């Protein structure tokens, strides 16, 4: 199924929660409002015509200049071999999205990673802990305004330049 | 990496009036049989695991953040470190992602050189995997045999790019160097010697009674489960799903080559068990040899790299490309804002989902089988943490 058809089906069911334009790409981008993302994912997975059985990737991108955080969901269907990219923009101050970890189990770790590194809150996740960074780390390192701490547990993060002998 | 929050409280159960305690064991960081710095918190009832909780992050080197600081060309050597057992495909993933952003065409000879490099890389990586699997469950000899051949591949790749582990061979737009004189002859001679050895390995270990008993029927993954957990590559094919990015979402010049996609058939038990995952890798080495012979035989003339500006500034946009790495479908996501530095890079790797599924697979297994499961999933720790 081509992306325009997937888009039309989504808009039929969810109306204006799905943005009208579609960006043609290798992974066609469909914009979705934050509140509707889990519902869109569930519809796309459960509809036998679309059958997106795999969450290939989930990434958050910090767009500091627009004061937004974009979250990308790359969905793939092994049955139909088609793909789509759902994109959600949420406010940078308090990014919160409904979880998709109940739809695809791999969403569990991908969401924990997005929370850990970018500070996106996934409501209903149930176990939203840091995944890669240490538990007591402060801040979300992939944010553009993240300032690297001077030291961590007494270990300095600064080093003299090796070129300066 | 979140040690403290995994509750370490003991559950007490009293079936038939007997008081039993659930044990919480630490496996790792750095268990000799695990591949890199891994850690599992194992909740066990005697020898049987309730579950093994993977605790990752020990090898997190913030590679994605580094990409935002070093620019597109400068990031290439870092991609080697994403999966250092099989760095060529990481090079290729990054190169293709950047080329897709900027719409760069790679010269055909460059594509062929990439395929040659990647397929040698795949054989080298699978050799480590199958050798280490055998070693992990107690057979030491196959590992030495596998490493002997891997060293020869390292020699070949060293001829190609001067490095044996972290290659930094590819560039945006092609490859760094053309193949050296006499390379095709030496590479073909290696293949001639190596192909019969795969059968020898199979005789040595794959169909060994002890080995098949130990690997067959252990932790089978159904096709649905594998897809839902986004298992990729040999792990997915082990579950009987005939899917290979090289075939099904072709990139580079792979459509020009004739090769098969081996899948698990459940010969030693259930489809998708440890033995199937292992055997898919064995069979894939043969297919890689097939591709290599065709690529070495049909190498076109011409340049190996396209002209790309030194300050590479792709247009505004985003690209998500997938390449078939040794541990499967590897996703490279890049966002550009038109400057010389990417806004965001995300790398979704094969070992990541393989690691995530361990918690589910481990339920009800023997502790000793956890080692077989990790080995058969071919988890490479740096790839999980990046």
């Amino acid at each position: 199924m081509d992306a325009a058809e997937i888009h039309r089906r989504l808009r039929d069911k969810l109306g204006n929660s799905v943005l009208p334009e579609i960006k043609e790409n290798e992974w066609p981008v469909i914009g979705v409002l934050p509140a509707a993302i889990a519902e869109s994912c569930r519809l796309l997975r459960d509809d036998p015509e679309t059958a997106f059985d795999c969450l290939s990737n989930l990434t958050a991108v910090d767009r500091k200049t627009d004061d937004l955080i974009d979250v990308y969901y790359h969905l793939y269907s092994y049955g139909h071999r088609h793909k789509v990219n759902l994109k959600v923009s949420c406010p940078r101050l308090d990014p919160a999205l409904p979880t998709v970890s109940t739809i695809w189990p791999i969403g569990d770790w991908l969401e924990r990673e997005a929370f850990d590194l970018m500070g996106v809150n996934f409501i209903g996740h149930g176990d939203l802990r840091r995944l890669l960074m240490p538990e007591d780390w402060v801040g979300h390192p992939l944010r553009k305004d993240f300032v690297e701490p001077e030291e961590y547990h007494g270990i300095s993060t600064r080093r003299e330049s090796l070129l300066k002998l | 990496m979140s040690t403290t929050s995994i509750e370490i409280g003991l559950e007490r159960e009293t079936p038939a009036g007997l008081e039993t305690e659930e044990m919480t064991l630490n496996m790792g960081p750095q268990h000799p049989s695990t591949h890199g710095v891994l850690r599992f918190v194992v909740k066990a009832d005697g020898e049987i695991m309730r579950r093994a909780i993977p605790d990752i992050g020990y090898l997190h080197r913030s590679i994605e953040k580094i990409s935002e600081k070093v620019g597109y060309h400068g990031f290439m050597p870092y991609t080697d470190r994403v999966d250092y057992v099989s760095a060529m495909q990481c090079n290729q993933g990054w190169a293709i992602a950047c080329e897709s952003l900027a719409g760069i065409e790679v010269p055909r000879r460059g594509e062929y050189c990439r395929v040659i490099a990647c397929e040698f890389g795949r054989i080298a990586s699978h050799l480590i995997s199958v050798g280490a699997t055998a070693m992990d469950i107690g057979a030491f000899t196959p590992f030495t045999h596998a490493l002997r051949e891997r060293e020869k591949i390292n020699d070949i790749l060293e001829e190609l790019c001067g490095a044996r582990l972290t290659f930094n061979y590819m560039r945006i737009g092609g490859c760094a160097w053309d193949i050296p004189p006499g390379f095709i002859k030496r590479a073909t001679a290696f293949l001639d010697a190596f192909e019969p050895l795969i059968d020898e390995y199979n005789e040595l270990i794959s169909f060994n009674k002890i080995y098949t008993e130990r690997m067959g029927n252990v932790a089978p993954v159904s096709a649905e489960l594998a897809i839902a957990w986004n298992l990729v590559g040999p792990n997915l094919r082990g579950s009987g799903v005939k899917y290979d990015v090289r075939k099904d979402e072709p990139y580079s010049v792979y459509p020009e080559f004739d090769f098969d996609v081996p899948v698990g058939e459940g010969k030693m038990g259930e489809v998708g068990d440890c033995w199937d995952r292992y055997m898919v890798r064995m069979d894939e080495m043969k297919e890689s040899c097939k591709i290599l012979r065709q690529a070495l035989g049909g190498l076109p003339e011409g340049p190996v790299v396209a002209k790309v500006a030194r300050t590479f500034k792709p247009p505004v946009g985003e690209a998500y490309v997938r390449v078939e790495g040794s541990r499967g479908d590897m996703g490279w996501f890049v966002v550009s804002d038109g400057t010389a530095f990417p806004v965001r890079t995300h790398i979704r790797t094969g070992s990541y989902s393989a690691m995530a599924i361990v918690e589910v697979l481990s339920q009800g297994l023997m502790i000793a089988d956890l080692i077989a499961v990790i080995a058969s999933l071919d988890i490479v720790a740096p790839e999980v943490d990046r």
Side-chain angles (χ1 to χ4, degrees):
Chain A
M1 193 183 290
D2 65 343
E5 173 66 16
I6 294 169
H7 183 237
R8 194 187 60 71
R9 274 166 183 263
L10 263 186
R11 263 180 81 82
D12 280 354
K13 292 208 177 98
L14 296 173
N16 285 332
S17 298
V18 181
L19 304 186
E21 62 273 1
I22 174 167
K23 196 166 133 202
E24 284 300 338
N25 205 334
E26 213 209 318
W27 291 71
V29 186
I30 296 176
V32 178
L33 293 185
I37 183 65
E39 188 54 24
S40 322
C41 287
R42 190 176 295 280
L43 285 172
L44 288 177
R45 186 198 62 175
D46 290 344
D47 184 349
E49 303 263 309
T50 48
F52 282 103
D53 45 10
C54 175
L55 174 65
S56 178
N57 186 28
L58 188 159
T59 319
V61 180
D62 186 4
R63 267 167 56 199
K64 189 160 174 286
T65 41
D66 304 320
D67 229 14
L68 289 172
I69 284 192
D70 289 347
V71 182
Y72 292 81
Y73 298 76
H74 292 91
L75 315 187
Y76 189 74
S77 167
Y78 277 97
H80 298 297
R81 302 280 154 97
H82 55 215
K83 45 199 174 185
V84 74
N85 178 2
L86 301 183
K87 180 180 168 184
V88 190
S89 299
C90 35
R92 210 164 163 277
L93 202 60
D94 178 28
L97 294 170
T99 183
V100 298
S101 62
T102 45
I103 303 171
W104 298 284
I106 189 63
D108 181 355
W109 272 31
L110 288 167
E111 286 182 348
R112 275 177 69 187
E113 188 185 332
F115 162 75
D116 184 1
L117 302 179
M118 203 63 98
V120 184
N121 252 316
F122 292 94
I123 297 154
H125 181 284
D127 187 28
L128 206 59
R129 288 177 288 124
R130 286 190 182 274
L131 183 70
L132 297 170
M133 303 302 286
E135 174 120 308
D136 56 356
W137 195 261
V138 180
H140 303 287
L142 280 182
R143 290 262 185 135
K144 291 289 178 193
D145 52 3
F146 176 77
V147 184
E148 195 189 333
E150 293 277 314
E151 58 155 49
Y152 177 70
H153 288 294
I155 308 161
S156 172
T157 60
R158 300 274 174 266
R159 183 171 72 164
E160 285 286 298
S161 167
L162 293 173
L163 302 172
K164 213 166 51 186
L165 284 172
Chain B
M1 205 154 75
S2 43
T3 335
T4 46
S5 57
I6 297 169
E7 17 54 89
I8 312 176
L10 298 174
E11 290 171 24
R12 282 165 188 272
E13 280 181 17
T14 54
L18 278 173
E19 187 160 300
T20 61
E21 272 182 10
E22 187 185 71
M23 287 187 291
T24 303
L25 299 174
N26 239 321
M27 196 180 263
Q30 195 83 311
H31 185 283
S33 285
T34 48
H35 302 202
V37 191
L38 301 183
R39 175 168 177 252
F40 293 89
V41 177
V42 177
K43 304 248 178 194
D45 182 2
E47 277 286 299
I48 309 287
M49 284 186 290
R50 293 259 170 83
R51 57 192 182 132
I53 304 158
D55 180 16
I56 66 169
Y58 290 93
L59 279 166
H60 179 56
R61 294 143 297 161
S62 41
I63 285 180
E64 292 170 2
K65 182 87 174 174
I66 290 172
S67 79
E68 297 169 18
K69 310 273 180 194
V70 297
Y72 293 91
H73 286 303
F75 188 52
M76 192 60 84
Y78 289 96
T79 62
D80 289 331
R81 275 80 180 167
V82 172
D83 174 4
Y84 48 59
V85 183
S86 167
M88 281 297 184
Q89 289 102 329
C90 303
N91 276 192
Q92 195 183 17
W94 176 245
I96 294 181
C98 295
E99 286 150 12
S100 143
L101 269 179
I104 294 168
E105 189 94 4
V106 180
R108 273 178 59 77
R109 193 178 173 88
E111 291 281 21
Y112 268 71
C113 286
R114 281 184 178 181
V115 167
I116 291 168
C118 283
E119 293 310 315
F120 270 123
R122 191 181 318 275
I123 297 177
S125 169
H126 283 355
L127 278 172
I128 284 264
S129 169
V130 296
T133 307
M135 186 172 73
D136 284 356
I137 64 167
F140 189 75
T141 316
F143 188 66
T144 57
H145 282 53
L147 271 225
R148 181 188 63 198
E149 297 314 309
R150 185 184 153 95
E151 280 305 301
K152 289 177 188 160
I153 296 178
N154 284 351
D155 289 342
I156 289 173
L157 292 176
E158 190 179 9
E159 274 189 43
L160 205 57
C161 60
R164 298 171 69 84
L165 190 71
T166 49
F167 305 110
N168 187 22
Y169 174 57
M170 290 176 203
R171 296 288 180 269
I172 300 167
C175 297
W177 295 281
D178 203 344
I179 57 164
F183 177 84
I184 295 180
K185 206 171 125 232
R186 287 189 292 275
T188 314
F190 167 79
L191 291 178
D192 291 340
F194 177 69
E195 265 177 310
L197 278 179
I198 300 176
D199 296 322
E200 194 184 302
Y201 291 160
N202 281 338
E203 278 170 40
L204 181 67
I205 186 80
S206 305
F207 298 103
N208 177 300
K209 179 75 176 156
I210 304 169
Y211 190 73
T212 53
E213 291 284 314
R214 188 79 168 71
M215 300 285 280
N217 267 329
V218 173
V221 184
S222 70
E224 293 75 39
L225 193 69
I227 289 173
W229 278 92
N230 194 15
L231 280 193
V232 289
N235 297 334
L236 179 69
R237 293 191 281 276
S239 297
V241 181
K242 205 177 174 89
Y243 185 87
D244 187 316
V245 185
R246 291 173 292 172
K247 267 261 198 270
D248 295 275
E249 301 271 328
Y251 58 97
S252 190
V253 285
Y254 280 109
E256 295 175 20
F257 303 121
D258 173 40
F259 63 100
D260 288 331
V261 179
V263 291
E265 289 159 358
K267 276 186 198 150
M268 295 298 159
E270 219 171 303
V271 175
D273 59 11
C274 288
W275 192 85
D276 273 354
R277 287 191 284 273
Y278 159 87
M279 203 56 200
V280 163
R281 294 197 176 84
M282 273 302 197
D283 293 339
E284 260 176 34
M285 288 199 279
K286 284 186 189 165
E287 300 305 320
S288 287
C289 290
K290 243 194 240 175
I291 298 174
L292 276 169
R293 281 187 192 282
Q294 294 168 52
L296 289 165
L299 198 67
E301 290 300 318
V304 290
V305 63
K307 279 207 163 56
V308 178
R310 206 161 241 223
T311 25
F312 180 72
K313 287 185 183 169
V316 181
E318 69 242 353
Y320 180 60
V321 304
R322 299 184 301 165
V323 292
E324 184 73 27
S326 300
R327 267 151 285 286
D329 171 357
M330 202 180 204
W332 291 77
F333 180 69
V334 198
V335 182
S336 159
D337 61 351
T339 62
F341 300 92
V343 176
R344 174 87 164 95
T345 306
H346 184 250
I347 311 157
R348 202 264 306 128
T349 59
S351 298
Y352 185 81
S353 43
M355 191 71 168
I357 204 176
V358 169
E359 187 169 343
V360 180
L361 288 188
S362 60
Q363 289 170 11
L365 284 183
M366 307 278 281
I367 292 178
D369 285 339
L370 180 62
I371 308 300
V373 171
I374 298 162
S376 78
L377 287 167
D378 193 15
I379 290 170
V380 171
E383 209 197 20
V384 182
D385 300 342
R386 305 178 303 280

